[in-house]
């Protein structure tokens, strides 16, 4: 086979490409702009590995026994250019030299071959590079032959083998689809190898072989292509960075064809010193202006031409047709424009035969439909009707309409088409505004995000402020945003100027690229919620930078499993920012991160007041390091949550020293779920008695305390310097003796305690009786008391009902959950509620009240002015009783 002839034929000059058609393969190859395409394997393996690139994937697959490779990918993904590069490489002796014969066919060109023909005729007369004397040798040795079939999806008839009588004789005449099906099925020229390219269509199910999905250009390939397209490296960098910033988040940017279009438009604008487009809509305005100008039509003809293209676009979208016949084109109004359609459409077939027409780009198809809607002078409310009509077929139509409804966006087009229909535009804007406002009052994040995309396309700051009113629920979770969503959200928030809460709750993987896009929004957010999210190190870096530059006062990273290394990065932002609260519960932090935290807390610029380290394994050594910060005058920490941090008594001396150092601003310490024990309590109680200690809240829930701790607590509470107003001792074995000692302290006039939690502390009825005495003593300041999960029954709790009814009792909150209450307590309960002037909430969960109590409870709550809430969950009520409880909005059940 004459490789020189094949090379000459493949690289012969073709027709001039349209701006939408992509750079011609011949131009790509000759100008050395070919970039190896990525395959789907690149998503699961090393993207830089050689095997991930299409050229190598084809070579590897052809060594298979199947000897058949099927390339799939969307329009413009570079399949055609890759196949031509393959053939050129073979003709130059670079690869596939084990195949003496390579036949390259484009199925869309073979569609014009009507009637029947044999394989011999096809090879001799429709390939042009096979000497007649070589044909017998070719047919005798099929293993020496490689067929390259492009555009398989363009085959007019089905390639289903069952739809044809397959042939096996190379001299047998058959239809073109039958010949192709026979070759691919192996009944004709069995043993030949194939490389087939097709869009993902139903025809693929009839093929067997190695499937290779073509991804096209990811970021590195785009960079390489831009560098080859622009002679000037500075211009290449400027164009590429701008594209990545404004368009890089669209899937279409993986298309080499689209990248060529963008490069061509950018180069034209840059050469003219014009501004580059900020949105996809602006890009397509520039493309359409360029194409219309190239036709040299007057205003009326240009408008008529766009109208015809719009009708064709609508027809193709609705009927899911990829092409139209000449008769259909005439029905759309193309009679006088068929010689001009090449700039917008692909034309298949010769003028003397039956031609078909199709769009180069599905995006331009939708854009032309949008423009034609606003050109229409006949249909009131045309835009809304068109959206409804095409809602399941057109992905970008409403985005393009949103952009074109803005004067600045459509002005370049109006200079060529005349003024667009103002009534149509006004109708659309009314619909757009109303629909957006309604959407933003709801809680569907996908609808919110789509609204942001529409606003982004408008590039109208005042419209954003007009639509996003205070009633908009912008605080709902926008977790798992795509890169495209990040760009749209960032545009909207930047227009607004600030955001109360950026809620990214449950974001599966916040990448560096996404965080970079959202960085301006982060700087404008007063609160950032990233709880139950996963952040890359790069994303944490952008977050840290945004914190240092922004207005964020609260950051929630709880359950984000951040880890020490990423926290170290975050600390660079914490050192100098306006952050007051940071929640780091369950972040996989250890003692190793405490040095960085201390450095941040004592930076001199830190304003951090609340630090939540719940369920991080910092241990005693970590807390000891933290206490160095607490003793610094530069540390402003007031609330320290150390719930479940694997602490013991060993670190309590350091904490005690910090509390009474005179420098610590701590007001609240949470030591729940640690092993503090008596020795730890003793150390802390000494600091509580120190005049410089400012602590007001101390929590020891499930902290291995016993009754032996109570003398130390009693001494602290009775101290004149103790400022504690809240103490939680729940789930500790204090017992009767220890609790009675606490009651002695509570009775003292100097005791400032207002909230006391003693749930599941092994309390007895005598303790309840003593608590009642304390509450009615006239000296107690207690406003909140939790004594649930004690089996004292109606008789034990009666002491508390009597106290609540007493005029000296100040209780506002009482928790007697799971204390064995029955209907027998009803009279005392209701009497207490009626008599109390202070009680607001009552916790009665997990008791044994029945339907018999319901009418009286509802009545007493409805009559009470001060009672706000009673919790009756998990009592013994029937469905009928629950419907009665529903009549009172103060009852939770």
């Amino acid at each position: 086979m004459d490789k020189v002839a094949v090379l000459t034929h493949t690289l012969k000059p073709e027709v001039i490409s349209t701006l939408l058609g992509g750079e011609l393969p011949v131009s790509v190859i000759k100008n050395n702009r070919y970039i190896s395409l990525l395959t789907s394997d690149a998503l699961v393996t090393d993207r830089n590995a050689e095997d991930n690139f299409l050229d190598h994937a084809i070579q590897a697959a052809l060594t298979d026994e199947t000897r058949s490779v099927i390339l799939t990918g969307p329009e413009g993904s570079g399949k055609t250019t890759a196949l031509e590069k393959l053939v050129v490489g073979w003709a130059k002796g670079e690869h596939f030299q084990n195949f003496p014969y390579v036949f390259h066919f484009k199925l869309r060109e073979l569609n014009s071959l009507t009637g029947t023909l044999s394989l011999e005729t096809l090879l001799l007369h429709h390939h042009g590079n096979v000497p007649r004397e070589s044909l017998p040798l070719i047919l005798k040795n099929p293993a020496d032959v490689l067929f390259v079939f492009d555009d398989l999806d363009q085959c007019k008839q089905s390639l289903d083998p069952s739809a044809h009588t397959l042939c096996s004789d190379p001299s047998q005449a058959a239809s073109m689809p039958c010949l192709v099906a026979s070759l691919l099925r192996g009944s004709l020229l069995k043993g030949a190898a194939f490389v087939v390219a097709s869009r993902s269509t139903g025809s693929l199910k009839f093929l067997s072989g190695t499937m290779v999905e073509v991804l096209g250009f990811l970021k590195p390939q785009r960079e390489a292509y831009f560098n080859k397209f622009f002679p000037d490296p500075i211009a290449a960098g400027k164009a590429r960075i701008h594209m990545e910033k404004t368009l890089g988040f669209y899937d279409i940017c993986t298309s080499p064809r689209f990248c060529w279009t963008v490069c061509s438009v950018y180069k034209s604008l840059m050469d003219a010193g014009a501004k580059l487009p900020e949105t996809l809509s602006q890009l397509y305005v520039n493309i359409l202006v360029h194409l219309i100008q190239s036709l040299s039509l007057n205003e009326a003809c240009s408008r008529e031409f766009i109208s015809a293209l719009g009708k064709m676009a609508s027809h193709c979208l609705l009927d899911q047709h990829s092409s139209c016949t000449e008769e259909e084109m005439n029905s759309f109004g193309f009679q006088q424009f068929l010689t001009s359609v090449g700039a917008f459409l692909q034309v298949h077939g010769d003028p003397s035969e039956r031609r078909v027409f199709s769009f180069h780009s599905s995006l331009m198809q939708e854009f032309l439909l949008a423009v034609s809607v606003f050109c229409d002078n006949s249909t009131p409310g045309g835009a809304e009707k068109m959206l409804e009509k095409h809602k399941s077929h057109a992905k970008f139509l409403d985005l393009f309409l949103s952009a074109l409804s803005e004067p600045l966006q459509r002005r370049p087009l109006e200079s060529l088409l005349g003024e667009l229909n103002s009534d149509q535009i006004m109708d659309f804007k009314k619909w757009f505004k109303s629909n957006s406002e309604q959407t933003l009052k709801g809680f569907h994040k996908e609808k919110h995000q789509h609204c942001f995309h529409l606003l982004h396309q408008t590039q109208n700051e005042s419209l954003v402020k007009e639509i996003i009113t205070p009633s908009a629920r912008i605080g709902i979770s926008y977790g798992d945003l795509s890169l495209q969503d990040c760009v749209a959200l960032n545009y909207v928030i930047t227009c607004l100027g600030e955001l109360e809460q950026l809620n990214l709750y449950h974001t599966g993987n916040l990448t560096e690229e996404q965080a970079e896009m959202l960085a301006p929004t982060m700087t404008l957010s007063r609160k950032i919620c990233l709880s139950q999210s996963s952040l890359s190190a790069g994303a944490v870096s952008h977050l840290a930078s945004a914190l240092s530059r922004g207005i964020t006062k609260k950051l929630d990273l709880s359950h984000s499993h951040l880890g020490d290394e990423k926290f170290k990065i975050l600390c660079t932002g914490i050192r100098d920012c306006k952050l007051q609260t940071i929640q780091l519960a369950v972040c996989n932090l250890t003692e190793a991160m405490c040095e960085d935290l201390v450095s941040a807390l004592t930076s001199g610029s830190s304003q951090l007041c609340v630090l939540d380290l719940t369920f991080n394994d910092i241990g005693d050594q970590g807390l000891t390091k933290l206490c160095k910060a607490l003793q610094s005058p530069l540390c402003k920490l007031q609330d320290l949550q150390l719930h479940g941090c694997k602490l013991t008594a060993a670190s309590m001396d350091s904490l005690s020293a910090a509390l009474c150092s005179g420098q610590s601003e701590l007001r609240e310490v949470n030591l729940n779920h640690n092993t503090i024990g008596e020795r730890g309590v003793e150390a802390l109680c000494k600091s509580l008695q120190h005049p410089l200690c400012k602590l007001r809240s101390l929590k020891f829930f499930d902290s291995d305390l016993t009754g032996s701790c109570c003398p130390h607590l009693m001494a602290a509470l009775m101290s004149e310097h103790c400022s504690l107003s809240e103490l939680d001792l729940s789930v500790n074995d204090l017992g009767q003796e220890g609790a009675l000692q606490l009651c002695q302290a509570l009775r003292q006039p100097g005791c400032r305690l207002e909230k006391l939690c003693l749930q599941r502390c092994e309390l007895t009825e005598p303790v309840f009786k003593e608590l009642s005495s304390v509450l009615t003593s006239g000296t107690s300041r207690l406003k909140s008391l939790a004594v649930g999960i004690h089996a004292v029954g109606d008789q034990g709790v009666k002491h508390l009902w009597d106290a609540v009814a007493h005029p000296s009792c100040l209780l506002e909150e009482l928790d007697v959950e799971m204390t064995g209450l029955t209907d027998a307590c009803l009279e005392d309960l209701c009497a207490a509620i009626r008599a109390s002037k202070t009680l607001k909430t009552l916790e009665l969960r997990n008791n044994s009240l029945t339907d018999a109590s319901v009418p009286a409870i509802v009545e007493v709550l409805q009559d009470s002015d001060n009672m706000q809430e009673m919790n009756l969950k998990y009592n013994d009520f029937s469905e009928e009783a629950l419907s009665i409880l529903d009549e009172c909005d103060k009852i939770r059940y």
Side-chain angles (χ1 to χ4, degrees):
M1 193 171 185
D2 188 349
K3 291 183 177 180
V4 175
V6 171
L7 192 62
T8 303
H9 174 77
T10 306
L11 294 179
K12 69 181 179 182
E14 299 184 42
V15 294
I16 297 173
S17 175
T18 173
L19 188 60
L20 297 172
E23 186 172 11
L24 294 172
V26 171
S27 172
V28 171
I29 296 168
K30 284 184 174 180
N31 295 327
N32 193 31
R33 288 182 185 161
Y34 182 75
I35 305 293
S36 292
L37 301 177
L38 281 177
T39 69
S40 54
D41 287 342
L43 296 180
V44 292
T45 58
D46 179 8
R47 287 186 175 183
N48 295 316
E50 205 174 59
D51 291 343
N52 291 334
F53 293 102
L54 184 58
D55 317 58
H56 297 280
I58 294 173
Q59 291 184 53
L62 283 178
T63 61
D64 255 5
E65 293 180 5
T66 57
R67 291 171 62 80
S68 182
V69 185
I70 301 101
L71 311 184
T72 66
E75 64 172 52
S77 58
K79 302 183 297 298
T80 295
T81 303
L83 292 188
E84 297 213 6
K85 183 70 165 60
L86 181 156
V87 174
V88 168
W90 170 80
K92 287 182 175 180
E94 295 171 355
H95 48 228
F96 299 118
Q97 297 307 292
N98 54 315
F99 295 108
Y101 307 102
V102 173
F103 297 105
H104 181 205
F105 291 106
K106 298 178 181 179
L107 270 295
R108 69 170 180 268
E109 294 177 357
L110 297 182
N111 279 331
S112 60
L113 299 179
T114 57
T116 61
L117 73 167
S118 67
L119 177 62
E120 292 176 345
T121 305
L122 178 68
L123 298 180
L124 287 173
H125 299 291
H126 298 285
H127 191 270
N129 298 303
V130 183
R132 183 175 291 276
E133 61 273 14
S134 300
L135 190 59
L137 193 60
I138 293 171
L139 300 177
K140 186 178 178 182
N141 299 290
D144 291 343
V145 179
L146 171 63
F147 283 99
V148 179
F149 286 148
D150 194 10
D151 298 319
L152 198 71
D153 52 286
Q154 298 294 320
C155 196
K156 282 183 180 179
Q157 299 178 34
S158 172
L159 295 177
D160 183 355
S162 64
H164 305 281
T165 303
L166 300 182
C167 55
S168 57
D169 183 353
S171 63
Q172 180 184 343
S175 67
M176 177 53 61
C178 182
L179 280 182
V180 175
S182 299
L183 284 167
L184 293 174
R185 196 68 172 179
S187 67
L188 183 60
L189 216 62
K190 185 176 182 180
F194 297 90
V195 178
V196 177
S198 172
R199 297 183 195 177
S200 297
T201 64
S203 60
L204 294 179
K205 65 184 178 183
F206 306 122
L207 305 178
S208 62
T210 302
M211 289 279 183
V212 177
E213 184 184 357
V214 179
L215 296 181
F217 286 177
L218 297 184
K219 213 168 184 178
Q221 288 72 43
R222 288 200 290 271
E223 181 175 0
Y225 184 77
F226 272 68
N227 288 339
K228 289 190 174 187
F229 185 95
F230 288 91
D232 180 7
I234 296 176
K238 177 183 175 183
R240 178 184 56 80
I241 291 169
H242 184 85
M243 180 191 181
E244 297 298 348
K245 174 188 166 188
T246 57
L247 302 171
F249 41 85
Y250 286 109
D251 291 341
I252 49 174
C253 289
T254 61
S255 162
R257 178 190 295 176
F258 182 75
C259 289
W260 181 81
T261 300
V262 171
C263 285
S264 301
V265 172
Y266 278 17
K267 187 175 188 308
S268 174
L269 293 171
M270 290 164 74
D271 289 347
K275 185 181 178 183
L276 297 181
E278 289 296 322
T279 65
L280 187 66
S281 298
Q282 288 184 3
L283 174 70
Y284 274 86
V285 166
N286 278 293
I287 293 172
L288 185 52
V289 166
H290 173 87
L291 293 177
I292 294 173
Q293 287 174 335
S294 70
L295 299 177
S296 301
L297 299 175
N298 61 35
E299 182 180 294
C301 287
S302 295
R303 198 175 183 111
E304 190 178 344
F305 184 44
I306 294 299
S307 178
L309 286 166
K311 290 174 184 176
M312 178 186 175
S314 178
H315 171 79
C316 291
L317 284 167
L318 289 176
D319 294 344
Q320 296 292 284
H321 288 169
S322 60
S323 60
C324 294
T325 64
E326 199 158 335
E327 292 80 6
E328 289 172 322
M329 298 292 283
N330 288 334
S331 72
F332 303 141
F334 278 104
Q335 291 90 335
Q336 61 174 317
F337 302 116
L338 283 180
T339 56
S340 305
V341 297
F344 290 88
L345 306 174
Q346 298 182 69
V347 185
H348 308 300
D350 297 322
S352 59
E353 300 177 1
R354 185 180 174 85
R355 292 187 298 174
V356 293
F357 303 80
S358 61
F359 284 97
H360 283 287
S361 158
S362 57
L363 266 179
M364 177 53 86
Q365 179 179 338
E366 290 191 34
F367 185 72
L368 288 166
L369 177 57
V371 176
S372 70
V373 168
F374 285 154
C375 285
D376 186 10
N377 295 317
S378 59
T379 312
E384 189 176 348
K385 291 177 182 176
M386 195 66 75
L387 282 172
E388 181 62 29
K389 190 175 178 182
H390 294 83
K391 64 181 179 182
S392 58
H393 305 295
K395 183 179 177 182
F396 289 88
L397 181 58
D398 54 353
L399 274 79
F400 290 142
L401 287 170
S402 302
L404 293 170
S405 68
E406 290 298 316
L408 284 175
Q409 304 269 43
R410 65 178 184 267
R411 187 171 296 160
L413 283 175
E414 288 184 319
S415 67
L416 299 173
L417 302 176
E419 189 175 333
L420 301 186
N421 190 313
S422 58
D423 291 337
Q424 296 279 29
I425 293 170
M426 191 60 65
D427 285 345
F428 172 79
K429 293 197 79 166
K430 286 178 182 177
W431 171 85
F432 176 40
K433 187 172 184 295
S434 171
N435 190 62
S436 299
E437 288 172 347
Q438 195 63 34
T439 292
L440 294 173
K441 288 177 182 177
F443 294 93
H444 297 284
K445 72 174 185 180
E446 292 81 8
K447 292 182 179 180
H448 277 220
Q449 288 162 6
H450 189 66
C451 181
F452 299 154
H453 287 300
L454 298 180
L455 288 169
H456 175 234
Q457 293 298 315
T458 68
Q459 291 291 292
N460 186 335
E461 181 179 326
S462 62
L463 181 64
V464 172
K465 292 178 178 177
E466 184 182 346
I467 286 176
I468 303 183
T469 60
S471 62
R473 295 189 173 99
I474 304 299
I476 70 170
S477 173
Y478 295 132
D480 280 332
L481 297 174
S482 68
L483 194 56
Q484 189 176 340
D485 295 330
C486 292
V487 171
L489 176 62
N490 187 67
Y491 170 76
V492 167
I493 303 308
T494 304
C495 288
L496 293 175
E498 68 176 53
L499 180 63
E500 186 59 35
Q501 174 177 247
L502 174 60
N503 190 344
L504 300 175
Y505 166 79
H506 216 287
T507 295
N509 179 30
L510 187 68
T511 66
E512 179 176 1
E513 209 169 9
Q514 289 170 327
E516 183 179 9
M517 289 292 185
L518 285 173
T521 291
M522 290 177 180
T523 64
L524 297 172
S525 302
R526 297 192 181 280
K527 177 182 177 182
I528 299 174
C529 176
L530 281 161
S531 64
Q532 296 194 36
S533 297
S534 174
L535 291 77
S536 68
V540 175
S541 180
H542 285 294
L543 173 60
S545 178
L547 291 173
S548 65
R549 294 179 286 109
I551 62 172
T552 307
K553 292 189 175 182
K554 185 173 182 179
L555 174 64
D556 185 356
L557 285 165
S558 54
H559 296 268
S560 65
H561 303 286
L562 200 63
D564 294 336
E565 290 304 313
K566 292 177 188 175
F567 183 75
K568 185 182 186 74
I569 300 170
L570 185 66
C571 281
T572 60
I574 298 175
R575 286 190 181 92
D576 184 16
C577 66
K578 295 181 173 62
L579 205 61
Q580 296 178 355
T581 299
I582 183 167
Q583 294 167 277
L584 296 164
V586 197
C587 279
N588 284 1
L589 304 178
T590 69
E591 174 264 334
M593 66 87 198
C594 290
E595 291 286 359
D596 296 307
L597 182 55
V598 168
S599 176
L601 290 170
T602 57
S603 65
S605 301
S606 172
Q607 299 181 29
L608 208 59
C609 298
V610 180
L611 175 62
D612 184 355
L613 293 171
T614 296
F615 286 118
N616 287 289
D617 296 344
I618 66 167
D620 291 321
Q621 287 187 322
L623 178 56
T624 300
K625 291 178 181 178
L626 269 182
C627 288
K628 295 178 183 177
L630 297 175
Q631 297 185 62
S632 167
L634 300 175
C635 179
K636 297 179 174 62
L637 217 55
Q638 297 181 16
D639 183 341
L640 181 57
Q641 301 292 311
L642 297 168
H643 187 134
C645 287
K646 295 193 174 180
L647 306 177
T648 70
S651 55
M652 292 304 108
D653 287 327
S654 297
L655 179 57
S656 179
L659 288 170
C660 53
S661 65
Q663 304 297 339
S664 172
E665 296 293 327
L666 274 182
R667 301 294 194 275
E668 179 175 340
V669 174
N670 182 337
L671 294 167
N672 294 345
H673 287 292
N674 288 292
T675 312
I676 305 302
E678 181 186 355
R679 194 169 73 80
V681 169
E682 181 181 8
L684 288 172
C685 284
K686 288 179 181 177
S687 65
L688 292 175
Q689 298 173 63
H690 196 283
L692 297 179
C693 178
K694 301 170 185 176
L695 206 62
R696 293 176 184 169
S697 174
L698 186 56
K699 297 177 181 178
F700 287 115
F701 184 103
D702 189 20
S703 293
D704 203 28
L705 275 56
T706 64
S708 60
C709 298
C710 292
H712 305 298
L713 290 165
M714 180 176 71
L717 292 172
M718 293 173 65
S719 166
E720 63 173 315
H721 298 300
C722 180
S723 57
L724 271 192
S725 60
E726 178 179 5
L727 178 62
D728 188 350
L729 301 169
S730 298
V731 194
N732 289 291
D733 295 337
L734 302 183
Q736 177 174 298
E737 185 179 348
L740 290 175
Q741 288 177 315
L742 287 177
C743 288
Q744 290 182 43
L746 295 173
R747 191 184 291 276
Q748 299 301 312
C751 181
R752 301 178 185 179
L753 213 59
E754 296 182 0
K755 183 172 183 177
L756 177 63
C757 296
L758 296 169
Q759 291 177 302
R760 217 193 80 184
C761 285
E762 307 299 323
L763 306 185
T764 60
E765 184 181 339
V767 175
F768 276 66
K769 183 177 180 181
E770 187 61 23
L771 283 170
S772 176
S773 176
V774 168
L775 290 169
T776 58
S777 64
T779 56
S780 170
R781 302 186 188 184
L782 279 179
K783 293 181 180 180
S784 177
L785 177 64
V787 287
I789 321 179
H790 293 105
V792 295
D794 294 327
Q795 191 57 41
V797 180
K798 183 180 186 307
H799 298 295
L800 296 183
W801 298 142
D802 292 342
V804 169
H806 196 280
S808 297
C809 179
L810 304 178
L811 275 188
E812 296 177 3
E813 301 172 351
L814 177 60
D815 182 346
V816 286
E817 176 190 357
M818 202 182 293
T819 50
L821 295 175
T822 69
D823 293 337
C825 78
L826 185 62
E827 185 177 342
D828 295 321
L829 167 61
C830 291
I833 292 174
R834 287 193 181 95
S836 174
K837 302 299 182 186
T838 59
L839 194 64
K840 295 178 181 178
T841 65
L842 188 55
E843 185 67 63
L844 295 171
R845 284 184 303 173
N846 291 299
N847 282 294
S848 301
L849 301 174
T850 70
D851 293 4
S853 300
V854 169
I857 289 175
V858 170
E859 181 182 354
V860 74
L861 283 182
Q862 288 177 335
D863 291 343
S864 173
D865 292 330
N866 47 283
M867 274 295 293
Q868 296 174 358
E869 184 179 287
M870 177 186 288
N871 192 340
L872 290 169
K873 285 185 177 181
Y874 315 121
N875 279 275
D876 299 332
F877 300 132
S878 67
E879 289 296 325
E880 185 178 350
L882 294 179
S883 64
I884 298 173
L885 291 173
D886 198 38
E887 297 173 6
C888 180
D889 59 8
K890 298 179 181 180
I891 296 176
R892 292 171 58 198
Y893 60 83

